[in-house]
Amino acid sequence: MTGVGELPETRSVTLSVNGERHEIDVETRMTLADCLRRKLGKTGTHLGCEHGVCGACTVLVDGRSARGCLMLAVQANGAEITTVEGLASRGGEWHPLQQAFHEHHALQCGFCTAGILTSMVEFLGENPDPTEDEVREALSGNICRCTGYQGIVRAVLDAAGRLRARNGAIAP
Amino acid sequence: MTGDLVGAPVHRLEDAALLTGTARFTDDIELPGTVEAAFVRSPHPHALIRSVDSTAARNLAGVHAVFSHADLAPLLTRNLIPPDNPTLKFAESTRAVVLAKDEVCHVGEIVAIVLADSRYVAEDAVALVDVAYEVLPSVSDCRDALAPGAARVHRDAPDNVVATFRAEYGDCGPAFAAAAHVLPLSLRQHRGGGHPIEGRGIVARFDPATEGLTVWSSTQGAHRVRDALVVLYGLDETRVRAITPDVGGGFGSKHIVYPEEVVVAGAALALKRPVKWIEDRREHFLAAIQERDQYWDIEVAADADGRLLGLRGSMVHDQGAYTLLGFNVAHNATLAVPGPYLLPNYRLDVTIAATNRVGTIPVRGAGYPEGTFAMERAMDAIADELGADRAEIRRRNLIPADRIPYELPLKARDGSTTHYESGDFPACMEKALESAGHDRFAERQAAARDAGRYIGMGVANCTKITGRGPFETGIVRIGPSGRITVHTGAMAMGQGIKTAYAQICADQFGVDPGAVKVITGDTGTVPMGIGGFGSRQTVTAGSSIHLASVEVREKALKTAAHMLEVSDRDLDLKDGTISVAGVPDLSVSLADVAKALSGAIGYARPKDMPPGLEASVNFLPTGLTYGNSAHVVEVEVDVGTGGVRITRYLVVNDSGRLINPTIVEGQIVGGVAHGIGNALFEWMGYDDAGQPVTTTFAEYLLPTAPVVPNVEIVHHETPSTVNPLGVKGVGEAGVIPAAAAVMSAIESALAPFGVRIRETPISPPRLVELIGEAKAGS
Amino acid sequence: MKPPPFRYHDPGTVDEAVALVSSLDNAKLLAGGQSLMPMLNMRYVLPDHLIDLNRITDLSYIEESGGRVTIGAVTRQRDIERSDLLRRRCPLLRKALRQVGHPQTRNRGTIGGSLCHLDPSAELPAALAALDATVHVVGPNGARDVPMADFPAFYMTPAIEHDEILGAVSFDPWPAGHGSAFVEFARRPGDFAIVGVAALLEPGPDGTVGRAAIALAGVGPGPVRCAAAEERLAGRAPDADAIRAAALTCADIEAMEDIHAPSSYRRHLAVELTSRALHAALAEPGAGSPK
């Protein structure tokens, strides 16, 4: 281990988070999740295991879901990051997933919720009309200890319908 | 009840912040000047501490302090965590210490705290703290701990017995002598950890100006945290405030006052600046409580028709190194055995054994899953012995509805006997069986077997003590703003109780639940509190809030009557406005009433009412309330791999009157998922020395979405008779019979091989082994 | 659980990366990070230098040339899973990848990272072993090729020198009409396999098996090719008895033991899942079906 006792190595990076550009200095060893939480105040992203299994810290990096605990902040230099804080519209209107989660009791303590929402944004983008089994498989990388997943599955299926209806008008 | 909110599936008030990322969990609290903590923890199951040298760590840039026992001892009035159950006697050697002085007794026990600019640097420094250990012999398994010549868990203890006790009524001797069938069962039960996705955590701030200590802790009991800090640091109650911010689940693991909470607060006192500690997952595996091993050696006696005559035997319970909360798990397990069945004679001898593992206290279910598992395995054993249907044997033994209320001479820890005040256990099971299509299942099972598939159906019933007292405060206040606020000592940790409490309160004032602000878990607003555990808070705090709301409503009406110069019988209260019936223009708002009751200097109080539009109630339950459930599960076993797929899960649940069916169902489904984890996945492994071997989520398996089925729920509501709302607790209802029902279903699927399951959890390798053994034995 | 201090390097080319790795002591290469990052967070590894390969765009590609498919080391698992070329030419990889971790980890995880981490239960090394893939390694003295069979040196240790990096992996796709399957048993979907079986079957004349390749994950320190099972199938009609006989050759395999499963269970699964994988591969159109 080098660096102990030395000043931490830092780098200047540019991150776009929920459409907002940030130029910051970060320690090169800092994870993306810690950077979002500590340096940028985006505390909606939560850390549940810090070894890449629970999925609570999942954010979208250039539209793709990724574990925030398994990426260094420096690796996100130049990337567009979406966190749970960026899911609602600028006017504050909730994303259909957020609305469906509320209506289907898809969260209890809510600690895992952010990572599930971001994962499902990507999933429904790729699979707009999933079956229940596909939703359950897509959820397999997110652990929820409270709900038993039932409300989450229902909410995702419902949100898929809402998104299809919303996009139907403009789809070819 | 006044309105129609109680019983309505109101969407949760908690959701908005959680869905938009604006909730505030402990780690989200950023106070200026905060230093972050990491702990030096024992790598050994048992060792002497010869020395702690933190020189190198202290010299690391960014490190503010390193405190071991010698450093914090001067601040502490004593080095012992206050015991939570003062009436239970147990071996003094297992009293939990704040900081290890010269002996560590489990891997993960804290030796020192490092305080640094960031958690990163704190962890760098932890690696530089040089602790000289002398490794001592250790003991891992609780049966080994009781063997003659076993290593001592605590070097000065005479043996490893924490306590022994007997649960007994009736007389087993003659009952067994006369029984047509006596069947032995040896069971190994294991439950694992709580594993909320948010670990533990605490932020402590000492304010020299007010000499006040404020802690924000992810706890299930803010008042107990405050009380412990008051006692251990010799502080004044009024100067210590414990607040629970948003809590990311508890499941028992945040139910006690932990050494970490005490040490972090002490560090804040010593450094005079805020200190934050956020538990990481490895720490949760090493140092958060678990509910672990029990070994049951019992025999059950039945008559020729399979009716229970008695159950007797012994049980050894793994307590770990420290007794942090009495021995509730073992005690509850003994209480749970008779469950919903007529068991005339019962005797269980329990030995609580210390081991060099982290302490055990209740995880969701709290011993009830184990007691239920024992009885349900006994039921299936009787059915197998008689060649009878498993449901039919249960039918013969369930307490008939006309024997309710039913009393058993088994004592809960408040000294009360078991008293099932309401319920219809046979109806619940019949409903579950009918919904599951039990009577046609044998046909389907035979057809599946012909096609080479092994499907099975299992059933299990349980009862559960809920609503433990002694009380939980409910305060309802309406200030001159007209806003309604509820304060309670109860703890919100994700269940949705704020919504339920808002419904209970809003019903009295004809307002939307969203108009009621519910504040939980803040010792600054409610002086006394017990906390969130044991399916108790809707019963206790819910009743208090209900009674306080009724009182405030009456006070408002009486005061309004005085203000409007009419009789209070002529008044309507709706949307926060009190008006004269039929004369809507003649009205006052709750804000007006609150203003009037807040007093004007020198003027008389309206109608001599006590000041303030508020009420504080401590509902004192006259007895415990008992919920019950019947679970029916269908599984398919892949005999080639030992894989178990749960294909259908049905719950009939009696939690009395439902405040919010959606929230109740969420509790049940979540509990079932936890029970499926206990049945098939969750195993906290240790090696023979006591070194944990499952310390990541890749090794300790929590149930994920593809392995948890949809759970179909049927409510059977028989209102409780021992509280004004008629409610029974539901937080643990789902988990209790789940493992028993799943095992029953697996046995049913594997009936052609004659596999008998006597353990939890059951893994695919173990199932393949059992199938092999059964084949070899037949 | 926070990463230890290290010096961070993010070379933009393979040459730069090789220069760094051959000049720095105690360096670790970071690809997708889905295995290394947890180990850093848990401080199981304490490198002085971390060399991040993610900026080397030259290492991210999937191409076919002269009938041989080559995949760059830093190609994301998700891109391999979705590649039209591989869907056509090598369905086995997609079948294996669908069982690797979760979408969130496949978005970052790379084929090279998976190969170099060399978890005994990992799906990709087993699939590449069945494909007789070649690993292309680049070092200070140029490139060299390592057959997949020689790639695992020890438990979780590839046959790559400390001053080399993995550049790509290539293989000859099996001809159109071949059957493939990746069958595994894991405790939960997305977990590492307890045992996984990659199977490829090429039809021969008269309904016989022309060529078979079977590789197991989760039994040995690296992927295990089942030569005995392959031999039993080649040139035979793939009926249920033949498949059973082939699968039974796995019954004596020397299997590892860990907290997830004893070796006896892994041997049991090796037989059971080999049989299932062969049946699944045969059931594919063109591959013939068991008589």
Side-chain angles (χ1 to χ4, degrees):
Chain A
M1 192 157 69
T2 57
V4 169
E6 301 168 26
L7 285 176
E9 184 189 56
T10 62
R11 278 227 188 164
S12 179
V13 297
T14 303
L15 303 181
S16 168
V17 181
N18 304 327
E20 210 173 295
R21 216 175 117 90
H22 301 270
E23 284 179 44
I24 49 168
D25 289 335
V26 289
E27 273 191 59
T28 51
R29 64 163 159 166
M30 183 176 261
T31 63
L32 176 59
D34 277 337
C35 176
L36 290 167
R37 291 181 48 79
R38 294 294 168 91
K39 306 276 293 186
L40 302 175
K42 302 295 181 200
T43 54
T45 299
H46 299 146
L47 288 162
C49 76
E50 295 177 281
H51 54 271
V53 183
C54 81
C57 65
T58 303
V59 296
L60 298 174
V61 179
D62 291 330
R64 284 187 170 194
S65 61
R67 309 290 205 213
C69 72
L70 298 189
M71 262 185 89
L72 298 170
V74 286
Q75 294 186 290
N77 189 17
E80 300 270 345
I81 315 283
T82 304
T83 68
V84 68
E85 289 94 338
L87 296 184
S89 72
R90 291 225 174 269
E93 191 196 344
W94 283 5
H95 187 281
L97 273 162
Q98 289 170 310
Q99 192 61 40
F101 268 54
H102 179 54
E103 290 173 19
H104 291 276
H105 192 27
L107 65 155
Q108 288 182 25
C109 82
F111 198 79
C112 67
T113 307
I116 295 180
L117 288 170
T118 49
S119 298
M120 291 303 102
V121 166
E122 179 192 41
F123 171 65
L124 292 182
E126 294 167 354
N127 189 349
D129 193 6
T131 64
E132 179 180 330
D133 283 349
E134 286 169 342
V135 171
R136 286 188 177 272
E137 194 199 327
L139 286 168
S140 67
N142 294 89
I143 297 176
C144 171
R145 185 58 148 168
C146 295
T147 65
Y149 305 101
Q150 193 154 321
I152 299 173
V153 172
R154 282 186 192 150
V156 173
L157 288 168
D158 184 17
R162 293 175 198 220
L163 282 162
R164 286 196 305 275
R166 192 171 83 174
N167 299 336
I170 47 171
Chain B
M1 302 300 138
T2 303
D4 51 11
L5 285 169
V6 165
V10 170
H11 293 328
R12 297 199 329 161
L13 305 175
E14 292 90 341
D15 288 357
L18 297 166
L19 284 166
T20 54
T22 54
R24 213 160 74 123
F25 293 91
T26 301
D27 196 16
D28 303 338
I29 294 167
E30 288 279 3
L31 303 175
T34 298
V35 294
E36 294 200 61
F39 286 97
V40 177
R41 296 180 181 277
S42 170
H44 304 294
H46 195 194
L48 291 178
I49 301 171
R50 288 297 183 204
S51 63
V52 180
D53 181 358
S54 56
T55 315
R58 284 177 212 261
N59 288 338
L60 183 66
V63 172
H64 296 264
V66 180
F67 297 136
S68 59
H69 173 264
D71 305 299
L72 275 191
L75 292 182
L76 289 163
T77 57
R78 61 171 198 241
N79 193 35
L80 290 171
I81 299 284
D84 232 300
N85 274 326
T87 57
L88 300 174
K89 292 258 181 293
F90 57 83
E92 279 294 310
S93 59
T94 64
R95 288 275 297 278
V97 296
V98 176
L99 266 168
K101 186 178 168 207
D102 50 13
E103 184 183 16
V104 283
C105 300
H106 68 83
V107 172
E109 185 167 354
I110 54 179
V111 175
I113 183 172
V114 173
L115 301 138
D117 284 341
S118 73
R119 174 75 182 214
Y120 287 74
V121 176
E123 289 187 18
D124 297 344
V126 163
L128 299 174
V129 176
D130 187 9
V131 184
Y133 294 102
E134 180 185 328
V135 175
L136 295 176
S138 55
V139 61
S140 184
D141 183 273
C142 58
R143 289 168 310 177
D144 296 345
L146 298 175
R152 300 278 187 271
V153 170
H154 301 273
R155 91 197 126 131
D156 292 335
D159 56 35
N160 296 321
V161 176
V162 180
T164 59
F165 70 94
R166 170 178 284 189
E168 183 175 29
Y169 62 81
D171 188 353
C172 278
F176 274 74
H181 304 280
V182 174
L183 307 168
L185 290 118
S186 288
L187 309 172
R188 182 202 164 134
Q189 303 202 50
H190 176 97
R191 288 205 62 222
H195 288 293
I197 304 303
E198 181 206 33
R200 296 177 289 146
I202 184 168
V203 175
R205 179 181 68 188
F206 177 69
D207 179 1
T210 60
E211 293 186 335
L213 174 69
T214 305
V215 299
W216 290 262
S217 184
S218 185
T219 178
Q220 295 172 229
H223 291 83
R224 282 174 292 129
V225 171
R226 178 203 58 188
D227 293 348
L229 296 178
V230 163
V231 168
L232 289 171
Y233 291 112
L235 301 167
D236 179 345
E237 276 92 350
T238 59
R239 302 272 188 220
V240 182
R241 182 178 179 188
I243 303 169
T244 47
D246 286 313
V247 172
F251 313 109
S253 66
K254 299 174 183 174
H255 175 30
I256 54 161
V257 178
Y258 278 100
E260 287 92 340
E261 290 171 299
V262 177
V263 173
V264 166
L269 290 172
L271 292 178
K272 306 230 177 326
R273 60 191 294 178
V275 175
K276 176 190 275 191
W277 169 68
I278 299 300
E279 180 187 58
D280 67 29
R281 189 54 54 180
R282 181 161 46 192
E283 291 180 291
H284 194 80
F285 276 108
L286 298 184
I289 61 85
Q290 305 160 358
E291 181 169 325
R292 228 167 17 234
D293 295 330
Q294 288 184 355
Y295 294 90
W296 294 60
D297 282 296
I298 53 173
E299 48 183 7
V300 60
D303 70 13
D305 296 326
R307 287 190 174 83
L308 286 169
L309 296 174
L311 189 148
R312 68 183 176 190
S314 62
M315 184 255 276
V316 177
H317 172 84
D318 169 7
Q319 183 69 17
Y322 295 110
T323 306
L324 290 144
L325 192 79
F327 38 91
N328 315 30
V329 177
H331 188 236
N332 283 355
T334 66
L335 289 181
V337 168
Y341 301 108
L342 291 164
L343 177 65
N345 303 289
Y346 176 44
R347 190 184 77 223
L348 195 68
D349 288 305
V350 178
T351 306
I352 318 275
T355 60
N356 289 110
R357 301 177 177 183
V358 70
T360 58
I361 70 150
V363 167
R364 192 179 205 172
Y368 271 77
E370 294 92 321
T372 299
F373 186 79
M375 177 53 101
E376 294 294 330
R377 301 320 307 129
M379 282 289 156
D380 285 344
I382 295 168
D384 292 345
E385 175 76 7
L386 269 65
D389 177 74
R390 292 176 166 214
E392 174 55 29
I393 288 298
R394 287 170 170 81
R395 203 171 275 139
R396 287 176 199 170
N397 284 291
L398 283 169
I399 300 165
D402 60 13
R403 301 251 328 244
I404 304 285
Y406 180 86
E407 187 139 359
L408 265 181
L410 265 186
K411 282 194 174 150
R413 62 174 181 267
D414 67 358
S416 68
T417 51
T418 301
H419 179 86
Y420 299 149
E421 82 278 20
S422 70
D424 185 342
F425 310 149
C428 287
M429 188 180 78
E430 295 308 332
K431 256 192 208 180
L433 292 169
E434 191 191 331
S435 305
H438 177 261
D439 56 349
R440 295 175 309 279
F441 182 71
E443 223 171 283
R444 284 177 46 220
Q445 189 177 43
R449 276 179 197 160
D450 288 345
R453 292 173 47 228
Y454 295 85
I455 64 173
M457 185 175 276
V459 57
N461 297 291
C462 77
T463 55
K464 169 74 173 78
I465 281 186
T466 72
R468 278 189 203 278
F471 66 88
E472 202 66 87
T473 310
I475 299 172
V476 174
R477 284 196 180 119
I478 304 177
S481 67
R483 283 194 287 272
I484 307 168
T485 312
V486 170
H487 297 272
T488 171
M491 295 289 142
M493 48 204 176
Q495 320 94 314
I497 57 167
K498 289 188 184 187
T499 303
Y501 294 161
Q503 286 175 256
I504 290 168
C505 178
D507 242 357
Q508 298 302 324
F509 300 103
V511 296
D512 190 84
V516 178
K517 170 98 177 153
V518 180
I519 295 167
T520 58
D522 181 350
T523 66
T525 61
V526 177
M528 296 183 297
I530 310 290
F533 58 91
S535 312
R536 65 181 295 275
Q537 300 195 122
T538 306
V539 178
T540 53
S543 296
S544 293
I545 291 163
H546 168 68
L547 295 172
S549 302
V550 169
E551 200 177 315
V552 171
R553 174 192 162 86
E554 283 169 4
K555 196 171 183 180
L557 288 172
K558 285 205 175 105
T559 307
H562 176 75
M563 293 164 76
L564 295 166
E565 297 178 338
V566 295
S567 160
D568 61 350
R569 287 188 300 275
D570 298 332
L571 294 174
D572 287 336
L573 201 174
K574 211 177 167 190
D575 297 331
T577 301
I578 302 168
S579 54
V580 178
V583 194
D585 288 349
L586 204 52
S587 68
V588 290
S589 67
L590 284 172
D592 297 333
V593 175
K595 259 178 235 151
L597 284 172
S598 67
I601 300 167
Y603 288 86
R605 284 172 281 122
K607 212 187 168 187
D608 295 325
M609 295 296 283
L613 185 49
E614 62 179 54
S616 173
V617 173
N618 283 309
F619 167 66
L620 300 172
T622 53
L624 291 159
T625 173
Y626 289 80
N628 69 281
S629 308
H631 289 203
V632 176
V633 186
E634 201 177 315
V635 302
E636 176 160 359
V637 181
D638 179 339
V639 299
T641 61
V644 175
R645 195 163 62 90
I646 298 173
T647 50
R648 191 147 183 227
Y649 205 112
L650 222 131
V651 173
V652 176
N653 192 76
D654 188 348
S655 292
R657 191 147 165 268
L658 308 180
I659 304 295
N660 183 326
T662 307
I663 291 175
V664 167
E665 284 160 20
Q667 287 298 307
I668 294 170
V669 179
V672 167
H674 195 144
I676 289 170
N678 293 149
L680 300 175
F681 298 103
E682 296 182 42
W683 176 66
M684 183 64 214
Y686 287 82
D687 72 9
D688 290 343
Q691 189 70 238
V693 297
T694 52
T695 58
T696 71
F697 277 157
E699 293 154 342
Y700 184 96
L701 309 179
L702 289 170
T704 53
V707 301
V708 177
N710 275 311
V711 178
E712 301 160 57
I713 298 168
V714 179
H715 297 292
H716 184 93
E717 289 184 63
T718 53
S720 173
T721 55
V722 297
N723 63 71
L725 290 166
V727 294
K728 304 173 182 178
V730 72
E732 297 159 289
V735 75
I736 292 165
V742 169
M743 297 312 173
S744 180
I746 295 172
E747 281 189 358
S748 157
L750 299 178
F753 306 103
V755 166
R756 298 282 176 267
I757 298 169
R758 299 288 180 256
E759 65 210 58
T760 57
I762 193 87
S763 68
R766 180 72 178 131
L767 262 187
V768 165
E769 187 180 34
L770 286 174
I771 293 168
E773 283 170 11
K775 278 179 175 168
S778 63
Chain C
M1 289 170 70
K2 308 293 182 188
F6 47 71
R7 295 267 168 252
Y8 175 79
H9 311 267
D10 55 343
T13 65
V14 173
D15 288 348
E16 282 172 40
V18 171
L20 282 167
V21 76
S22 46
S23 65
L24 297 172
D25 285 336
N26 189 23
K28 273 275 174 195
L29 294 167
L30 177 65
Q34 304 303 290
S35 299
L36 180 56
M37 281 296 298
M39 291 166 72
L40 284 169
N41 290 354
M42 292 188 267
R43 301 195 180 209
Y44 290 159
V45 290
L46 302 168
D48 289 325
H49 299 276
L50 193 67
I51 303 169
D52 183 354
L53 303 175
N54 284 279
R55 239 174 27 91
I56 310 178
T57 45
D58 285 356
L59 287 180
S60 178
Y61 61 90
I62 303 165
E63 64 181 31
E64 182 170 9
S65 160
R68 196 163 173 87
V69 169
T70 307
I71 304 174
V74 188
T75 310
R76 308 277 174 208
Q77 292 164 359
R78 211 71 200 291
D79 292 331
I80 297 169
E81 184 186 335
R82 290 171 180 171
S83 156
D84 282 337
L85 168 69
L86 291 172
R87 191 189 299 250
R88 276 184 289 112
R89 301 289 275 137
C90 185
L92 175 67
L93 276 183
R94 184 163 184 272
K95 289 169 188 168
L97 272 168
R98 297 280 299 173
Q99 301 178 72
V100 175
H102 309 281
Q104 299 97 327
T105 60
R106 298 202 291 272
N107 277 337
R108 293 288 303 167
T110 65
I111 189 168
S114 181
L115 273 172
C116 290
H117 183 61
L118 208 62
D119 189 290
S121 295
E123 291 86 354
L124 275 178
L128 291 165
L131 287 161
D132 288 311
T134 300
V135 179
H136 306 282
V137 174
V138 193
N141 304 317
R144 68 185 177 96
D145 292 347
V146 185
M148 198 53 215
D150 300 334
F151 186 69
F154 311 102
Y155 173 74
M156 296 188 82
T157 308
I160 298 182
E161 298 303 321
H162 69 91
D163 56 357
E164 293 179 322
I165 67 167
L166 195 155
V169 59
S170 70
F171 54 87
D172 290 327
W174 284 42
H178 78 274
S180 68
F182 196 99
V183 174
E184 72 173 40
F185 183 76
R187 294 292 297 275
R188 304 166 302 177
D191 286 345
F192 273 117
I194 295 180
V195 171
V197 181
L200 291 160
L201 289 176
E202 185 183 337
D206 307 324
T208 60
V209 173
R211 179 164 62 126
I214 300 164
L216 304 182
V219 292
V224 172
R225 275 292 287 269
C226 308
E230 293 167 8
E231 280 162 25
R232 286 205 171 236
L233 286 167
R236 312 253 168 100
D239 55 23
D241 287 343
I243 287 176
R244 185 82 198 140
L248 276 172
T249 64
C250 302
D252 307 323
I253 246 165
E254 200 178 310
M256 62 178 189
E257 181 152 331
D258 63 13
I259 60 157
H260 297 297
S263 52
S264 57
Y265 179 68
R266 289 178 194 276
R267 274 193 299 275
H268 171 88
L269 281 188
V271 173
E272 181 70 29
L273 300 181
T274 297
S275 169
R276 292 184 190 187
L278 291 170
H279 279 286
L282 273 170
E284 293 207 316
S289 54
K291 309 259 157 37

